[in-house]
Amino acid sequence: MMNDKTSRLIFVLITVIATILLTACQTGTEEPAIKISSNSVELSPIYYGDLYNKEKEEIEKRLKDFMIGKRFIDLPTFAYGDIIQIEPLNFETGQYEIYDYIVDENGNIISDYDIVPISVTSNKEGKTEFTFEEGYDLESYKDFAVQGKLIHCLLIRCEIDNNSFAFATLVLNVE
């Protein structure tokens, strides 16, 4: 039978081993976080990380996962010409590439996937801005509109520590 001293020793050893194992499981690196907003409206970012963000199908899969349990009509609405700001919360990057895709209610990109990125400008507060612009023949996508509004996927790419990262957000346009 174990005595009290042996039981305490075993408990201390198990606690120390568990602490060491839990510490070893931590990667020590924090995933990049971003804030996307316009005026006082904060947009929900969709995180892609540094993997699975190159192909159209990978982007669509994450859009579909993000929208589970949500309705497209409840997305924030913006007028063409509105300024959208990007603020990195825990990383630095040299520049962003921003792509504006038209998406259907199933999360499929219906506009051309191989497009030129939107121009961006930096401001003095460390934030990057771009203008939400009408870049498509909207009439050709009217059948995909949700209550008269098109769904836009704003995909944001940047280099962080020599890796390509992607973030996105979904918005509706108003005229």
Side-chain angles (χ1 to χ4, degrees):
M1 205 168 233
M2 284 197 264
N3 61 25
D4 240 6
K5 192 173 185 178
T6 306
S7 295
R8 278 190 236 144
L9 181 62
I10 291 174
F11 177 75
V12 169
L13 285 174
I14 290 173
T15 304
V16 169
I17 291 171
T19 304
I20 290 170
L21 288 174
L22 289 174
T23 303
C25 291
Q26 294 178 347
T27 61
T29 58
E30 190 176 8
E31 285 296 314
I34 195 167
K35 179 180 176 183
I36 308 167
S37 61
S38 180
N39 298 322
S40 61
V41 178
E42 192 165 327
L43 304 172
S44 298
I46 303 169
Y47 293 95
Y48 287 90
D50 61 344
L51 300 173
Y52 310 113
N53 67 33
K54 299 284 185 211
E55 303 297 323
K56 178 179 176 180
E57 294 77 18
E58 296 167 342
I59 301 299
E60 290 173 336
K61 181 182 181 329
R62 188 67 186 108
L63 292 175
K64 292 171 185 177
D65 291 346
F66 178 78
M67 287 307 296
I68 290 175
K70 299 177 183 114
R71 298 179 331 159
F72 281 99
I73 194 61
D74 294 334
L75 291 170
T77 56
F78 290 95
Y80 294 119
D82 284 352
I83 302 295
I84 298 177
Q85 292 183 329
I86 304 167
E87 181 181 2
L89 299 177
N90 61 355
F91 66 90
E92 292 181 16
T93 188
Q95 79 179 65
Y96 295 97
E97 290 180 346
I98 300 163
Y99 301 86
D100 181 1
Y101 298 114
I102 304 291
V103 178
D104 67 13
E105 280 190 278
N106 295 318
N108 298 309
I109 296 171
I110 56 172
S111 60
D112 186 16
Y113 184 71
D114 298 317
I115 58 174
V116 176
I118 296 172
S119 299
V120 296
T121 59
S122 293
N123 67 21
K124 58 187 166 217
E125 297 158 6
K127 297 176 185 174
T128 299
E129 296 180 339
F130 67 95
T131 303
F132 181 53
E133 295 180 356
E134 183 177 344
Y136 293 99
D137 172 20
L138 301 180
E139 203 54 37
S140 62
Y141 296 107
K142 70 179 181 179
D143 291 341
F144 298 100
V146 178
Q147 294 183 4
K149 301 170 186 158
L150 289 176
I151 305 164
H152 290 259
C153 170
L154 302 174
L155 184 72
I156 303 161
R157 293 188 186 282
C158 62
E159 290 285 323
I160 304 170
D161 296 332
N162 297 320
N163 290 310
S164 175
F165 275 78
F167 310 90
T169 193
L170 294 169
V171 299
L172 298 173
N173 75 293
V174 293
E175 308 238 356

